Amino acid sequence: MKKIPGIPVFFHSIRFRLVVWFTVILALVLSIFSAFIYYNQARDIRGDAFYSLERKMTDIEIALAGDGGTPVMLQASDVLVIIDSGGKVLAYQGAVTEKNVIDLVKNAQAAQQQANVSHAEPQISWFQEWKGVSSPGAGAVLTSHYFFILKPVSAGMRSGFIILGNPFDPYGLNDRLLFTLVIGVLLTLAVAMGGGLWLADRAMRPVHTITNTARTISETDLNRRLNITGRDELAELANTFDAMLARLQTAFERQRQFVADASHELRTPLTIVNLESSRALASRRTVDEYQRVLGVIRSENEFMSHLVNDLLTLARMDSGQMGMEMNRVDLSDISLEAVERLASLAERKNVRLETGDLPELTIDGDKRYLLQMLSNLIENGIKYTSGDDKKVRVDTGQDGNSVWVRVSDSGEGIPPEHLPHLFNRFYRVDKARSRDDNNETGGSGLGLAIVDWIARAHGGEVRVESVPGEGTAFEVHFKISRTAHD
Ligand code: ADP
């Protein structure tokens, strides 16, 4: 089947639906309103017709009684039939044929029977449709709806019935009103539909702008914005869209930077391995020289494994595949476990690794990640502490609703200008220092980024205080476990 371009799209558009709904509702309201007006007028006209019929009947009765009174004013469109009590037509007058009269009498008798009226009970009225009679009266419109009254009369010794009828709506007012209402409603709907389309078109214009711009934005030009001004809902939507683009742009740029930094970090050890091995292979070397080269290769390899592990951890964190299992855990227990794990490293480095009281402190957390966080902090302490009496200390405690763990060292500290960037990925205070002196643990600048991520994933926060020449203290604050409170 061939699609007619444009049309299906239009029929699915909000514009179209808005206009349709609007028109349907308006049509409903106008119809109810018109029906109300029409019903009221019809009722009034009916009332008038009946009233004038009764008046004429009274006039006839008075005339028959011979009291003089006002002359009977019958109009050309009125119908008067006189029958005797047996139903025989005695006389008739008005816009009727003979056949009409016969019909009329039949109807009158039927109505009489139905009402079961005795002679004493005076009148019956009915409404009847007339076919094919033209009313010759001046000004009267051809109409076929009549009201009739049947009334028993007696004049002298004779008694019979008078059937008197007049048109229900002699001037065709009802039909005219109906015509006016229908035309009026249709015209209003047409105008409303046109206006509605125009309005909906105007209101939806920013949506087109948004759609067209969004279509042209690709991953490479995330710096484009919609920049729609105003305070309406669509401007709000556009602004939200712009804000989302800004976030995406930042995320993309961070990702790009991350990949660039990671490649850069891996290039250095790979170059060192390449250079050292090429040099060793160029000619025969002494055993000592080979041992030195292999030592260098091993340490660079360790650095790279460490880096790749950290990169993997961060990649998993970024993609939300950490699979954290939150349980009630004791922060002091975890701190002690981390200290025990790193005790041998501290000993090798001649660092005194101490702990404070370590009271029981329950938080909601994943033990594996908390252990990694503390290990990173303690490893850093061991790496960067210095002087004759090298010391790293781990304390835990609680103030108010928050629980903290502090890892402090007696190292040379961190200059204050570096503190705000410390948790950025690949950020190192002194690149040369962290690579040269500490081959065993290797420093890529990712450790603190991981610490920060784990702390935030637990609803916590890392604070750092450092006095150059005296030492550094990292403090991680968590909310106390709510279940432990209860
Ligand atoms: P790295 O693997 O290089 O140690 P981190 O992210 O763990 O990376 O640390 C970032 C930088 O912060 C380190 O390069 C170091 O310069 C500084 N730093 C971290 N911990 C300490 C500390 N306890 N004392 C002094 N400097 C520190």
Side-chain angles (χ1 to χ4, degrees):
M1 215 174 38
K2 236 177 109 182
K3 262 191 176 181
I4 308 166
I7 286 186
V9 179
F10 173 72
F11 284 130
H12 284 114
S13 67
I14 294 183
R15 239 173 346 144
F16 175 70
R17 273 183 283 165
L18 262 179
V19 171
V20 167
W21 273 113
F22 170 66
T23 314
V24 166
I25 291 172
L26 189 66
L28 216 72
V29 171
L30 285 177
S31 306
I32 292 173
F33 182 66
S34 305
F36 179 72
I37 289 183
Y38 184 78
Y39 170 78
N40 266 322
Q41 169 162 327
R43 203 190 47 195
D44 288 352
I45 287 177
R46 200 189 172 93
D48 281 353
F50 196 72
Y51 174 69
S52 86
L53 192 60
E54 275 192 317
R55 221 182 41 218
K56 286 173 201 163
M57 183 56 107
T58 316
D59 287 352
I60 291 173
E61 276 176 317
I62 292 169
L64 279 178
D67 289 355
T70 42
V72 182
M73 294 290 287
L74 284 189
Q75 274 152 3
S77 55
D78 292 344
V79 174
L80 173 68
V81 180
I82 302 173
I83 51 175
D84 68 9
S85 45
K88 199 166 153 274
V89 178
L90 300 176
Y92 72 86
Q93 172 194 328
V96 274
T97 59
E98 212 157 316
K99 192 181 163 297
N100 289 151
V101 175
I102 296 167
D103 276 355
L104 191 59
V105 172
K106 243 191 261 161
N107 280 343
Q109 282 168 339
Q112 203 176 17
Q113 239 165 30
Q114 214 175 28
N116 203 10
V117 176
S118 71
H119 218 71
E121 278 186 54
Q123 78 179 32
I124 318 162
S125 64
W126 74 97
F127 180 74
Q128 176 161 353
E129 205 158 327
W130 233 202
K131 288 220 177 72
V133 179
S134 62
S135 27
V141 173
L142 178 80
T143 171
S144 51
H145 297 110
Y146 269 71
F147 249 140
F148 285 102
I149 294 183
L150 173 84
K151 199 155 192 185
V153 283
S154 52
M157 292 301 286
R158 305 184 64 181
S159 67
F161 296 94
I162 293 178
I163 301 173
L164 182 65
N166 68 357
F168 173 66
D169 177 13
Y171 304 106
L173 293 181
N174 272 343
D175 288 348
R176 263 209 316 256
L177 178 67
L178 188 67
F179 178 74
T180 314
L181 285 175
V182 168
I183 294 291
V185 166
L186 288 180
L187 272 178
T188 311
L189 286 181
V191 171
M193 222 162 139
L197 259 180
W198 179 77
L199 263 179
D201 215 43
R202 258 181 74 98
M204 287 293 146
R205 216 168 287 157
V207 175
H208 288 298
T209 318
I210 296 176
T211 314
N212 288 339
T213 316
R215 228 178 247 147
T216 58
I217 293 176
S218 71
E219 151 192 342
T220 45
D221 58 358
L222 282 174
N223 53 347
R224 290 191 57 178
R225 298 288 178 269
L226 299 169
N227 288 328
I228 290 181
T229 48
R231 271 193 246 168
D232 58 8
E233 291 86 339
L234 289 173
E236 197 184 323
L237 174 72
N239 288 338
T240 313
F241 190 80
D242 280 350
M244 186 189 75
L245 276 178
R247 284 199 302 276
L248 276 180
Q249 189 184 12
T250 318
F252 262 102
E253 264 159 24
R254 206 183 320 130
Q255 202 68 22
R256 230 175 277 156
Q257 188 61 42
F258 184 56
V259 172
D261 287 345
S263 321
H264 183 79
E265 287 297 321
L266 282 168
R267 212 168 50 184
T268 316
L270 284 172
T271 311
I272 294 172
V273 168
N274 196 15
L275 276 178
E276 290 285 346
S277 51
S278 303
R279 210 156 52 114
L281 288 171
S283 58
R284 275 183 167 278
R285 306 279 173 191
T286 60
V287 173
D288 284 353
E289 182 60 10
Y290 284 134
Q291 269 182 341
R292 189 195 65 78
V293 170
L294 284 175
V296 170
I297 291 175
R298 188 181 64 182
S299 100
E300 291 306 325
N301 193 41
E302 266 168 15
F303 171 79
M304 285 191 285
S305 337
H306 206 107
L307 176 66
V308 168
N309 269 335
D310 285 353
L311 283 174
L312 252 168
T313 309
L314 280 171
R316 277 205 210 107
M317 286 171 170
D318 287 346
S319 63
Q321 293 172 348
M322 295 302 284
M324 290 219 285
E325 281 175 34
M326 295 302 216
N327 290 310
R328 280 181 62 185
V329 291
D330 183 350
L331 190 60
S332 295
D333 275 355
I334 296 175
S335 307
L336 194 63
E337 197 172 327
V339 167
E340 279 164 1
R341 272 194 192 185
L342 292 166
S344 62
L345 177 71
E347 207 177 329
R348 244 186 299 148
K349 295 276 189 174
N350 286 325
V351 176
R352 215 151 28 94
L353 186 54
E354 311 174 331
T355 60
D357 279 348
L358 304 185
E360 189 182 326
L361 300 167
T362 318
I363 61 167
D364 290 318
D366 183 310
K367 187 176 165 185
R368 274 180 315 150
Y369 286 110
L370 291 174
L371 202 58
Q372 180 175 4
M373 180 191 85
L374 277 160
S375 304
N376 283 7
L377 289 176
I378 298 171
E379 258 181 63
N380 274 354
I382 296 173
K383 260 196 280 179
Y384 300 113
T385 187
S386 56
D388 296 335
D389 183 21
K390 295 203 264 188
K391 201 170 73 177
V392 174
R393 188 182 160 84
V394 179
D395 292 280
T396 56
Q398 177 179 354
D399 30 70
N401 265 348
S402 103
V403 164
W404 50 262
V405 53
R406 183 193 306 126
V407 179
S408 48
D409 64 65
S410 56
E412 54 211 65
I414 305 166
E417 66 272 20
H418 292 289
L419 293 180
H421 313 291
L422 222 49
F423 299 99
N424 292 352
R425 295 173 181 190
F426 298 107
Y427 191 83
R428 282 177 305 211
V429 173
D430 178 351
K431 299 207 174 204
R433 183 187 68 172
S434 40
R435 287 279 285 123
D436 289 351
D437 303 347
N438 306 287
N439 279 343
E440 260 184 68
T441 37
S444 58
L446 291 177
L448 285 179
I450 293 174
V451 167
D452 185 51
W453 196 96
I454 295 175
R456 279 192 285 120
H458 283 81
E461 154 189 37
V462 193
R463 299 175 196 168
V464 54
E465 269 176 34
S466 187
V467 182
E470 280 183 30
T472 308
F474 285 91
E475 239 175 54
V476 191
H477 288 251
F478 299 99
K479 275 196 208 87
I480 195 161
S481 165
R482 232 186 296 144
T483 39
H485 247 346
D486 301 336

